[in-house]
């Protein structure tokens, strides 16, 4: 559990008054442990650097060559590979934070980000948890409790029932109080696990029992709840921020309806179907729930939105979202820096009236997955990694040329984010950036994204959470198959490399020898002349 330090380590901050440990609230954070990996670890470390905060990284055996280690001021090893051995070890991570003299811990997203026990352990160790208090995570982490809080706050909720553990009794209640179609959900988690759609009573009990087993395995709790299924909904979520001084704001909404197996693939801000009045209404509902729950720091309130303009509360994600960059681009607010300021006890640096939505932003999750094989995750070495650039393009990634994607963690390679004056321009920038993005060695979701950003239904704006299931089927794959293959991409890369080598050789040949007496050499052709002879 040794550390690698790039700078002289700081002395551990004082966190005691007498014998009682207290979080460093009201003081600027000086040294933060980033309890995560991948692109989100890179994102948080960069925010710390810009704020003058030292950062401490963690890395498993599989992450020995990870980018976030290089960027952090210090890095500590977590022996092992699997999440259970490494990034989920609360005791080991808190001890490292103490050993490294940290006064704050940022959990990122995933792993322990929504774990109340982890937040509590950090707080009890006298450090600031960069997220909501443990009690709030516990409250909102249970979807049944969260739904009740939403009702108390006056937020619309989907009709449903909870508290039944017997499949037979649950069915009888559902027949009377909910009706078909309905959805069975795990109370203690999300991400599509422990979730079943039921369209006939004959399949109810089998689906209920299967969902309970899956929820128990995934979250340690088989508790379920049942809701009326909202047909063809949009998935709309609202970004909230709240401080310890009673201030709470929303930063507009994000559209997250392009999903596969309830996992988001493309996000945008703002939604193309919400007008100013509805945006204000749904934003105020999210803030009302945040106040009712005593929320602090960044969070996301998720809603279903139907074709009639009704919205219904789904859940609260008590952490920073993967898709937070689109909100940052349209508001100009750095969410990670705000998180760090709030965790230090500062007030929000702005009020609700100062939040302005300008332009449009998209995010495409570039995953190491094969879209032609049901988005099957793949691993391997990135032989070539040539990212896009240019106006309106942002890339959040931990990947680089030569990086090997480990098999133990999430398949996310990069988040490609684009910005434009309006939705049409942002989509055009995204298409151009996707076409520029060259990754070889593993299959990625880039071809899928090109398919979506060329699809008329998506470009028109009214699509729902069934988009992938409805339009991206075996019969619709011809367009995807006609996109540049990995072999064609390799050919382009090979030509670029050959051209580079050719130019280098010509430059070396054309140089005079050491005595200056070499015969005159032919002038090297310009890059523009050579480019005109390229086969693509």
């Amino acid at each position: 559990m040794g550390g690698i330090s790039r700078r002289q380590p700081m002395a551990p901050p004082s966190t005691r008054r007498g014998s009682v440990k207290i979080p460093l609230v009201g003081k600027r954070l000086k040294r933060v442990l980033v309890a995560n990996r991948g692109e989100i670890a890179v994102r948080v470390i960069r925010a710390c650097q810009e704020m003058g905060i030292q950062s401490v990284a963690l890395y498993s055996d599989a992450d020995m060559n990870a980018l976030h280690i290089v960027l952090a001021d210090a890095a500590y090893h977590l022996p092992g590979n699997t999440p259970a051995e490494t990034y989920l070890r609360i005791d080991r991570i808190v001890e490292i934070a103490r050993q490294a003299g940290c006064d704050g811990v940022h959990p990122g997203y995933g792993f322990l980000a929504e774990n109340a026990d982890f937040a509590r352990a950090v707080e009890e160790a006298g450090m600031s948890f960069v997220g909501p208090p443990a009690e709030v995570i516990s409250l909102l982490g249970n979807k049944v409790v969260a739904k009740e809080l939403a009702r108390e706050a006056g937020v619309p909720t989907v009709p449903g029932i909870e508290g039944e553990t017997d499949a037979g009794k649950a069915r009888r209640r559902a027949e009377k109080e909910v009706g078909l179609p309905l959805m069975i959900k795990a109370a203690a988690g999300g991400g599509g696990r422990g979730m079943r759609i039921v369209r006939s009573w004959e399949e109810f009990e089998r689906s209920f029992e299967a969902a309970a087993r899956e929820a128990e395995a995934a979250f340690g709790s088989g508790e379920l709840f049942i809701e009326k299924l909202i047909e063809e909904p949009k998935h709309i979520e609202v970004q909230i921020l709240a401080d310890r001084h009673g201030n709470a704001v929303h930063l507009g909404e994000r559209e997250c309806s392009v999903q596969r197996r309830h996992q988001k693939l493309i996000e945008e801000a703002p939604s193309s179907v919400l007008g100013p009045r509805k945006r204000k209404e749904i934003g105020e509902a999210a803030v009302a729930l945040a106040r009712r729950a005593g929320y602090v720091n960044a969070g996301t309130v998720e809603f279903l939105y139907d074709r009639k303009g009704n919205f219904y509360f789904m859940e609260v994600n008590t952490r920073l979202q993967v898709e937070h960059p689109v909100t940052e681009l349209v508001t100009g607010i750095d969410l990670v820096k705000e998180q760090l300021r709030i965790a230090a006890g500062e007030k929000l640096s702005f009020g609700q009236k100062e939040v302005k939505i300008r332009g449009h932003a998209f995010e495409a999750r570039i995953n190491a997955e094969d879209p032609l094989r049901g988005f099957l995750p793949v691993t391997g070495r990135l032989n070539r990694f040539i990212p896009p650039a240019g106006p309106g393009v942002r890339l959040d990634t931990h990947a680089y040329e030569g990086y090997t994607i480990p098999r133990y963690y999430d398949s996310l390679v990069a988040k490609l984010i684009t910005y434009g004056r309006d939705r049409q321009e942002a989509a055009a920038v995204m298409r151009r950036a996707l076409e520029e993005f060259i990754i070889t060695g593993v299959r990625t979701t880039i071809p899928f994204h090109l398919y979506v950003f060329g699809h008329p239904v998506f470009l028109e704006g009214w699509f729902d959470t069934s988009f992938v299931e409805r339009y991206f089927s075996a019969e619709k794959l011809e367009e995807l198959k006609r996109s540049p293959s990995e072999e064609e991409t390799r050919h382009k890369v090979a030509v670029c490399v050959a051209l580079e080598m050719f130019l280098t050789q010509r430059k070396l040949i054309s140089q005079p020898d050491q005595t200056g007496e070499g015969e005159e050499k032919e002038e090297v052709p310009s890059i523009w002349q050579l480019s005109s002879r390229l086969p693509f």
Side-chain angles (χ1 to χ4, degrees):
M1 198 165 66
I4 301 171
S5 181
R6 293 169 53 229
R7 300 179 189 173
Q8 187 66 28
M10 297 169 55
S14 173
T15 57
R16 290 177 179 268
R17 290 181 185 170
S19 60
V20 180
K21 295 182 180 181
I22 61 164
L24 292 175
V25 175
K27 299 181 181 179
R28 187 177 180 84
L29 295 177
K30 296 180 180 179
R31 193 169 173 89
V32 170
L33 177 79
V34 183
N36 217 298
R37 63 174 299 279
E39 72 83 17
I40 188 57
V42 172
R43 171 73 182 90
V44 175
I45 289 167
R46 284 173 171 160
C48 288
Q49 289 174 338
E50 293 172 13
M51 295 178 72
I53 300 171
Q54 291 198 342
S55 57
V56 177
L58 303 172
Y59 64 97
S60 66
D61 292 346
D63 280 334
M64 288 284 190
N65 296 314
L67 180 60
H68 69 281
I69 302 173
V70 179
L71 298 180
D73 295 287
Y76 285 77
H77 182 215
L78 293 168
N81 285 309
T82 67
E85 295 172 315
T86 55
Y87 300 104
L88 293 176
R89 283 292 302 272
I90 293 176
D91 55 344
R92 187 176 291 170
I93 291 171
V94 172
E95 180 53 38
I96 288 174
R98 283 174 169 169
Q99 182 183 333
C102 295
D103 51 6
V105 176
H106 196 302
Y109 55 71
F111 293 129
L112 295 170
E114 295 180 277
N115 187 302
D117 291 337
F118 181 52
R120 189 172 295 107
V122 170
E123 292 163 359
E124 290 176 352
M127 295 174 281
S128 292
F129 181 74
V130 186
E135 295 74 18
V136 174
I137 296 175
S138 293
L139 274 177
L140 296 175
N142 186 302
K143 291 183 177 62
V144 174
V145 176
K147 192 172 180 179
E148 182 57 36
L149 286 172
R151 290 194 196 102
E152 293 173 5
V155 179
T157 60
V158 180
I161 61 172
E162 59 266 347
E164 290 292 350
T165 57
D166 179 80
K169 291 181 180 179
R171 172 180 168 172
R172 288 190 289 274
R173 281 192 64 190
E175 287 184 74
K176 292 179 181 178
E177 302 174 38
V178 181
L180 293 174
L182 59 80
M183 182 174 285
I184 300 169
K185 293 183 179 180
R193 289 171 292 184
M195 183 181 292
R196 296 291 187 279
I197 293 174
V198 177
R199 296 187 179 277
S200 70
W201 295 117
E202 289 72 22
E203 63 182 296
F204 179 91
E205 293 182 31
R206 181 175 66 256
S207 297
F208 188 93
E209 291 166 357
R213 289 193 299 270
E214 189 175 327
E216 180 68 38
F219 311 115
S221 170
E223 185 181 356
L224 305 172
F225 68 102
I226 299 165
E227 285 184 341
K228 180 73 175 176
L229 178 65
I230 306 299
E231 298 276 25
E232 300 182 349
K234 276 186 167 293
H235 185 142
I236 305 291
E237 61 186 30
V238 178
Q239 177 69 57
I240 56 170
L241 282 172
D243 61 26
R244 296 176 184 272
H245 305 275
N247 303 304
V249 299
H250 70 85
L251 279 68
E253 83 286 351
R254 295 184 289 258
E255 162 86 53
C256 308
S257 299
V258 179
Q259 307 174 1
R260 52 100 172 90
R261 297 190 294 273
H262 305 288
Q263 295 286 331
K264 301 165 188 172
L265 292 168
I266 295 172
E267 300 93 1
E268 62 181 294
S271 171
S272 61
V273 300
L274 264 64
R277 185 180 63 81
K278 188 61 69 173
R279 178 169 295 116
K280 182 174 184 290
E281 186 180 345
I282 198 170
E284 290 177 349
V287 170
L289 175 55
R291 292 186 184 282
R292 179 68 186 84
Y295 204 88
V296 174
N297 215 273
T300 300
V301 185
E302 303 205 352
F303 298 91
L304 292 176
Y305 187 85
D306 67 20
R307 285 185 174 270
K308 296 179 181 179
N310 303 308
F311 61 87
Y312 304 94
F313 169 75
M314 283 177 59
E315 62 184 1
V316 180
N317 287 308
T318 56
R319 55 172 167 79
L320 190 69
Q321 292 281 83
V322 179
E323 58 271 21
H324 75 273
V326 294
T327 296
E328 293 182 326
L329 289 185
V330 298
T331 62
I333 295 168
D334 189 312
L335 289 172
V336 178
K337 289 180 181 178
E338 287 297 325
Q339 281 192 293
L340 292 165
R341 294 187 186 105
I342 292 168
E346 296 182 29
K347 292 183 179 180
L348 283 172
S349 61
F350 56 89
Q352 188 65 66
K353 291 183 179 179
E354 297 169 81
V355 178
K356 305 295 181 184
I357 308 297
R358 296 182 177 90
H360 203 96
F362 284 104
E363 177 179 292
R365 300 192 192 189
I366 311 302
N367 297 328
E369 298 173 354
D370 187 349
L372 293 173
R373 300 177 62 196
F375 295 94
L376 183 71
V378 296
T379 59
R381 185 177 185 271
L382 303 182
N383 297 326
R384 283 287 173 180
F385 187 84
I386 304 176
V393 176
R394 165 177 166 178
L395 188 72
D396 284 17
T397 185
H398 60 294
Y400 54 86
E401 201 159 287
Y403 175 70
T404 298
I405 299 169
R407 62 186 176 90
Y408 303 99
Y409 314 117
D410 185 80
S411 61
L412 184 66
V413 176
K415 299 183 329 196
L416 179 57
I417 310 107
T418 60
Y419 177 81
R421 290 171 297 178
D422 52 32
R423 191 172 189 268
Q424 183 179 4
E425 184 176 75
V429 176
M430 177 62 78
R431 286 194 298 273
R432 187 264 297 171
L434 287 165
E435 289 168 354
E436 283 185 19
F437 207 164
I438 296 176
I439 299 177
T440 68
V442 300
R443 292 190 179 275
T444 71
T445 52
I446 289 176
F448 165 80
H449 290 300
L450 280 167
Y451 173 87
V452 174
F453 278 92
H455 200 287
V457 172
F458 178 80
L459 295 176
E460 181 270 335
W462 186 268
F463 52 91
D464 56 55
T465 53
S466 68
F467 177 88
V468 174
E469 178 184 322
R470 182 175 300 178
Y471 297 106
F472 191 71
S473 60
E475 294 77 24
K476 304 289 186 179
L477 291 183
E478 287 308 310
E479 290 181 56
L480 178 65
K481 290 178 180 177
R482 285 198 296 269
S483 64
S485 66
E486 184 170 341
E487 197 60 38
E488 290 171 320
T489 303
R490 283 177 178 169
H491 172 68
K492 287 185 178 182
V493 172
V495 171
C496 292
V497 173
L499 174 61
E500 182 182 356
M501 292 174 65
F502 175 74
L503 286 172
T504 303
Q505 275 189 326
R506 293 300 293 269
K507 287 177 181 177
L508 288 172
I509 292 171
S510 65
Q511 290 178 353
D513 60 24
Q514 294 294 325
T515 63
E517 298 175 354
E519 62 180 77
E520 189 174 337
K521 308 298 186 206
E522 180 186 351
E523 185 179 352
V524 178
S526 76
I527 188 67
W528 307 111
Q529 290 172 308
L530 290 166
S531 295
S532 69
R533 296 200 292 269
L534 290 178
F536 58 90

